């Protein structure tokens, strides 16, 4: 079964190095994102899901508060589960959902339930 839009994840290490929430397009251009075309590809992955609320019209997290909480939570999950950081991947809406193309954004949002 193929997804209408791939599941897009970020390695935990890359997420923790970002320092702030960043958009899909910038991370994709840098080669930071991982793309999975089938739910079966996710079966053996350790995935942590985050969603955030936009705190201003122009910037999703202007003071970095949400990013810092997500990063601390991710570190805690890794520590509490004993997972190797290298084997953990992150889904975060701003990075995992295309932001600049409305059709791709819609497909990505509609696909979330297929891999959650």
């Amino acid at each position: 079964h193929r997804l209408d839009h791939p599941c897009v994840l970020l390695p935990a290490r890359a997420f923790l190095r970002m320092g702030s929430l960043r958009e899909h397009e910038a991370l994709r251009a840098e080669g930071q994102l991982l793309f999975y075309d089938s739910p079966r590809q996710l079966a053996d992955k350790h995935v942590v899901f985050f969603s955030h609320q936009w705190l201003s019209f122009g910037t999703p997290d202007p003071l970095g508060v949400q990013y810092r909480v997500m990063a601390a939570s991710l570190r805690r999950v890794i520590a509490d589960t004993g997972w190797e950081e290298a084997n953990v991947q992150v889904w975060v809406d701003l990075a995992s959902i295309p932001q600049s193309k409305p059709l791709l954004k819609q497909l990505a949002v509609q696909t979330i339930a297929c891999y959650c």
Side-chain angles (χ1 to χ4, degrees):
H1 181 266
R2 291 186 59 83
L3 302 171
D4 290 335
H5 187 275
C7 176
V8 181
L9 303 176
L10 188 62
R13 285 183 181 160
F15 179 81
L16 292 170
R17 283 194 312 258
M18 287 190 323
S20 65
L21 292 176
R22 297 188 56 215
E23 288 190 6
H24 173 91
E25 289 76 10
L27 293 167
R28 182 177 185 140
E30 295 170 8
Q32 296 287 328
L33 301 176
L34 304 170
F35 295 83
Y36 297 96
D37 295 315
S38 167
R40 287 188 297 268
Q41 293 175 294
L42 300 169
D44 62 345
K45 309 288 185 237
H46 298 303
V47 180
V48 177
F49 280 76
F50 290 117
S51 185
H52 77 288
Q53 178 180 357
W54 281 69
L55 297 179
S56 75
F57 288 107
T59 306
D61 186 24
L63 300 177
V65 173
Q66 292 183 81
Y67 171 79
R68 287 192 301 276
V69 170
M70 289 178 193
S73 298
L74 178 59
R75 287 184 185 97
R76 180 68 184 256
V77 166
I78 291 169
D80 288 353
T81 60
W83 294 341
E84 293 290 328
E85 184 181 286
N87 297 327
V88 179
Q89 297 172 7
V90 176
W91 185 98
V92 60
D93 43 14
L94 189 66
S96 298
I97 296 174
Q99 301 297 305
S100 66
K101 301 204 183 294
L103 180 58
L104 289 178
K105 187 176 196 173
Q106 180 181 355
L107 287 172
V109 169
Q110 291 172 343
T111 305
I112 293 169
C114 296
Y115 51 82
C116 287

